[in-house]
Amino acid sequence: MPEPESVPSAVPWWRDAAVYQVYPRSFADGDGDGVGDLAGIRARLPHLARLGVDAVWFNPWYPSPQKDGGYDITDYRAVDPVLGTLDEAEKLIAEAAGLGLHTIVDIVPNHVSDRHPWFRAALAAPPGSPERERFHFRDGRGEHGRLPPNNWRSEFGGLPWTRTADGQWYLHLFAAEQPDLNWDHPEVRAEHEAVLRFWFDRGAAGVRIDSAGLLVKDPDLPDLTPEGPHPYVDRDDLHPVYRSWRAVADSYHPPRALIGEVWVPDAERFARYLRPDELHTAFNFDFLARPWDATALRASIDSTLAAHEPVEAPATWVLANHDVTRTATRYGRADTRFDFAAKAFGTPTDLALGRRRARAAALLTLALPGSVYLYQGEELGLPEVEDLPPDRLRDPMHHRSGGTDPGRDGCRVPLPWSGDRPPYGFSTAPGAAEPWLPQPADWTALTVEAQTGDPDSMLELYRTALRLRRTAITGGLRWRPAPEGVLAFDRGIGFTCLVNLSPQPVPIDTPGELLLRSGPLTDGRLPSDTALWLGRA
Ligand code: GLC
């Protein structure tokens, strides 16, 4: 099935797309089992078209035991029966294309589920067997190999090694149910290229590549030390993998896009993934992690643009996703950075302040050059749900921390669509089961229905901003002189964005017609934590 051509344009869609991220289990439930599914998404596609985004990235929808929110996959060429069927996925991709929406599917190459046929075969086979070669099996250290093979730590906390019944250990950088693949094995490489083709053949316009910087390990799996190249993050020999994927993507018409989840702090190292024969774009986690502070955000914008320029790749701008604290909550805290290590239960939050800043941040982000990612529910201003009953928490980050890390369930609560009580239209089937994560009792004012038509709502702010982004904002970014704590820049010749992150109102001494503002002005001045878009005819 070919991916329908977009309106002919000199600029490929992925260079400046607004991409909406759908977490399928929490978007909309079509069959009433309390879990979001493809039928629910298909019924709600008009919401995305009306919102004004260009593409939709779907978190994994494959069969999975759900030990890590679907990132533990048993079959990369099928759809989890709880979510629907492959036939429905094909229809969904075609219907989205019919509404002008490109589809991006999530590819998870670093690891598979421990229930994947390859890993079951590896466990059933003896040490040293070809079946084990597709993974990282090693003997342990110490007496009788009782100690793990090296000193690494899991990204989710705890050991990244689990011992099997015959005494060998296997590597898993994430949960024990997510064994890491051996990317030095030709079958592993061939399999993933075949999976890319499988989804590109079904009309996917691109893939989001999970944990894209972690695939290739130093074959000796040496201890982690402060010196020398990291044994598994950002290895030089990872780049040929993406060159080969690029050739696959470029063999399609139109070419498909590769989008990497690359957590590499060094901007120059990060940009190496975006060379013209590698990935098209990668998520900008530096921007996401910065505090609500003009100097810090400007520094991130400048270093991002400077790093992308030599490789001629577009920047991406991301405020939130299914792994991090919701923007409205994060910006309402004393510490407005995002840091996995700093997450804690009971952090005080001023949600009114956080929402005001989230509105201003939306206008800042949507005005920047490049593509932008919008995580479902951000357009509604949803807060992090921090009082989920402990026995409902699913995230291995929570469980593997011994219960101290709140985990990522709080940003994955099912969306509120309509009505004044749970499930707020999330499930539309009569007699539907309770949503898989409980929704708060006070989300009535946050539903799509309640916000539609209210000019002061977050949803209408996003709708207007996304429409203007398409029509009124083009060209490179140029900073304007501005008071301390204020971000002021032009795009092209006819557009200015002002964001006041200082504690007091500032005068608006820029000419132009008011296009949009994130909050009311006071006496013609721009209040604290407010953003403004100006246009000139
Ligand atoms: C990525 C995903 C995250 C998942 C992890 C392991 O970081 O975004 O949700 O837990 O990879 O697959």
Side-chain angles (χ1 to χ4, degrees), residues 315-368:
T316 66
W317 308 102
V318 188
L319 285 175
N321 64 32
H322 65 294
D323 292 329
V324 307
T325 309
R326 288 263 186 208
T327 315
T329 299
R330 174 160 69 94
Y331 284 154
R333 290 179 168 168
D335 181 358
T336 51
R337 287 171 311 142
F338 178 74
D339 180 0
F340 281 111
K343 288 183 75 175
F345 282 106
T347 311
T349 303
D350 176 346
L351 206 48
L353 175 67
R355 285 228 169 85
R356 197 159 71 239
R357 290 176 170 170
R359 292 173 65 87
L363 294 200
L364 166 64
T365 309
L366 291 170
L368 293 170

Side-chain angles (χ1 to χ4, degrees), residues 68 71 111 156 174 208 210-211 261 322-323 408 412:
D68 177 23
Y71 283 92
H111 45 266
F156 286 166
F174 294 92
R208 176 266 188 190
D210 186 67
S211 303
E261 188 208 16
H322 65 294
D323 292 329
R408 299 165 294 177
R412 299 176 179 180

